[in-house]
Amino acid sequence: STRSRLRDTVQGPARLSAQPKTTIAQEAQEGAANLSVRASVFFNEKQRLQRDLTALALAVYAETTGAPPRSLAVLDALAASGVRGLRYALEVPAVGTAVLNDASDEAVAAMRENARLSGFAAARERGSYLHAGGARLEVSQGDAVALMRARRRHFDAVDLDPYGCVAELLPAAVESLRDGGLLCASCTDLGALSGRYGDGCARRYGADPLRAAQKQAPELALRLLLGCVSRAAKGRAVRPLICVVFSDFFVRVIAAVGEAPTGASSPLAAASPLAAAAESPPLPPPAWRQCAARSPPWSRMIGLRPL
């Protein structure tokens, strides 16, 4: 059932992309990437839409910032099969280096195989692969937080798509972003974000949804995640660009992180959970889109009580 899958997701490890099963492989293609899909390495074909969306967002970001070809560095911190980083490197001309990281031995082997299938050739530098189009891949194995903390202000975009809660990864991810860089983060623990699992939401995200706000759970989940990103930014400005709920199962936010303007109010204060009466009227469905044009977009939280 959906509830049991959500519970399993919430309880899963946050820094490992997959858990070993078998080694049977099947060929697949997504976008410009060719893959050898193994049952032992996580690959969710149903999430292609959000990968499409992120690739488009990166392309628009590069265009609006005037990034030269092959000048951007992106990180897929929990890469699993490597499909995200491969697509970004192959489909976004401005991406010069894509770093694919995972803690799993089988995932790293799958990334190397998929790089070869997608037209990358091993370079002299260990763990590096080059494409005829000029893109470079770096395959890394290790803890995602350690990698991001070691590369402070290094990446133009960081993609986080863990099992369950993303909160523990956010501070390191923000530290690794250059000024104006993109943070792309997903949460699959919508059950915790909606308050179904006791105090799970309070422990992970620093807020406790009211039962009266359950009908607005998807929107609240987005606001909770944005607030968590803002607190992790520790004074840097967070500007939401795209906020999406996919099939009432997980949420995805893409936000620009940069230095706050002089004299601007603290984003930490703006992101603090605000109390709301149980009878507070819900925001209309497009409200969060309208709020995106204002700063901060999550300053009006509905259905949250302070801890």
Side-chain angles (χ1 to χ4, degrees):
S1 66
T2 300
R3 178 170 296 183
S4 62
R5 285 190 284 112
L6 282 170
R7 184 178 296 109
D8 292 342
T9 298
V10 171
Q11 294 175 349
R15 299 185 186 178
L16 292 177
S17 63
Q19 298 180 11
K21 293 180 183 178
T22 64
T23 57
I24 300 175
Q26 295 181 342
E27 300 296 319
Q29 181 176 4
E30 181 178 300
N34 295 310
L35 309 170
S36 177
V37 179
R38 310 180 185 189
S40 58
V41 178
F42 182 77
F43 173 74
N44 189 344
E45 186 178 0
K46 295 180 180 179
Q47 291 189 12
R48 174 170 183 165
L49 177 59
Q50 65 136 317
R51 292 190 286 267
D52 290 343
L53 184 64
T54 308
L56 287 171
L58 276 173
V60 172
Y61 168 78
E63 181 179 349
T64 56
T65 58
R70 303 306 177 193
S71 63
L72 300 182
V74 301
L75 169 66
D76 185 358
L78 306 164
S81 66
V83 61
R84 293 176 184 276
L86 286 168
R87 290 194 57 184
Y88 303 158
L90 293 171
E91 298 175 22
V92 184
V95 172
T97 301
V99 179
L100 314 182
N101 178 75
D102 203 286
S104 163
D105 292 336
E106 293 194 35
V108 171
M111 287 188 279
R112 291 171 177 163
E113 174 66 12
N114 292 335
R116 183 188 66 79
L117 292 174
S118 297
F120 286 84
R124 291 183 178 181
E125 186 179 354
R126 184 177 180 183
S128 295
Y129 299 81
L130 299 176
H131 191 269
R136 173 179 172 271
L137 281 184
E138 178 184 335
V139 176
S140 168
Q141 182 173 13
D143 181 81
V145 169
L147 172 64
M148 291 185 287
R149 292 200 185 281
R151 302 197 184 188
R152 189 173 183 273
R153 303 293 179 99
H154 180 85
F155 297 105
D156 298 285
V158 173
D159 196 310
L160 302 174
D161 186 26
Y163 281 118
C165 179
V166 74
E168 68 171 9
L169 301 169
L170 293 175
V174 171
E175 284 185 23
S176 71
L177 279 173
R178 293 171 179 163
D179 188 27
L182 288 186
L183 177 64
C184 311
S186 298
C187 284
T188 60
D189 57 342
L190 203 54
L193 285 166
S194 65
R196 295 179 203 168
Y197 303 135
D199 63 350
C201 185
R203 287 186 288 105
R204 293 181 174 95
Y205 299 98
D208 189 9
L210 295 174
R211 287 188 174 274
Q214 288 301 301
K215 291 183 179 180
Q216 288 78 45
E219 181 175 344
L220 287 174
L222 289 172
R223 293 175 181 273
L224 282 166
L225 180 52
L226 286 171
C228 199
V229 171
S230 183
R231 289 190 293 275
K234 298 179 181 178
R236 299 178 75 185
V238 177
R239 183 164 60 94
L241 302 176
I242 300 175
C243 304
V244 188
V245 180
F246 288 88
S247 304
D248 292 331
F249 176 59
F250 68 98
V251 295
R252 177 80 163 170
V253 300
I254 299 177
V257 178
E259 297 305 322
T262 303
S265 60
S266 170
L268 295 176
S272 299
L274 303 181
E279 62 272 12
S280 295
L283 293 175
W288 67 269
R289 299 185 185 90
Q290 296 169 2
C291 288
R294 299 194 292 272
S295 179
W298 52 88
S299 58
R300 292 178 61 245
M301 289 192 176
I302 302 298
L304 301 181
R305 61 171 176 258
L307 300 179

